Amino acid sequence: SRTGSQQQALAPLSITSSAVLPAPKRPTTPFTMAEEEVAWDSTVQEWLIDEGNCVAGALGDPATGTFYAAAPVEGEAGWAMVYKEPYEQMLAQEDGTEKSETIDESAIMKEV
């Protein structure tokens, strides 16, 4: 059971996109309570997807940067839409050049 302060820290994330995405992959995290993960996946499905509010959504803990639930649940499609393991990407700089940067979504969530 989560405490009131933990519940407040958990905020649903959502995106809207029609892009075709690669096969879904859950993030590799120390969080291994599979039954609870599936329950939260179903909650995200019910509250965000089934209600027509968005095409994908996720839950994560901003204190640790751990994502632990995503939807749409079928085929774990939500994970493909909302999470990607750390990767390198060229990003435009203010001076007009480009620089390779590591994008780590878990670390970014901890900063927000």
Side-chain angles (χ1 to χ4, degrees):
S1 173
R2 304 196 191 283
T3 65
S5 64
Q6 286 175 319
Q7 288 176 345
Q8 289 177 337
L10 304 177
L13 303 173
S14 64
I15 63 167
T16 56
S17 173
S18 60
V20 175
L21 300 167
K25 181 177 179 184
R26 283 184 182 262
T28 51
T29 68
F31 190 85
T32 58
M33 293 184 273
E35 288 181 21
E36 189 169 322
E37 287 178 6
V38 171
W40 281 111
D41 286 348
S42 297
T43 300
V44 173
Q45 175 78 38
E46 178 184 346
W47 290 358
L48 299 177
I49 311 308
D50 294 346
E51 292 292 322
N53 295 316
C54 46
V55 296
L59 291 175
D61 182 350
T64 64
T66 302
F67 288 84
Y68 56 85
V73 174
E74 186 175 338
E76 293 196 343
W79 286 107
M81 293 182 198
V82 300
Y83 183 81
K84 189 173 183 179
E85 292 287 339
Y87 59 98
E88 295 289 320
Q89 182 168 332
M90 296 299 289
L91 297 178
Q93 305 297 301
E94 289 183 13
D95 64 2
T97 62
E98 287 191 340
K99 178 182 172 186
S100 179
E101 303 250 355
T102 300
I103 309 298
D104 183 338
E105 296 174 2
S106 294
I108 293 168
M109 182 168 59
K110 285 173 65 173
E111 291 178 15
V112 179

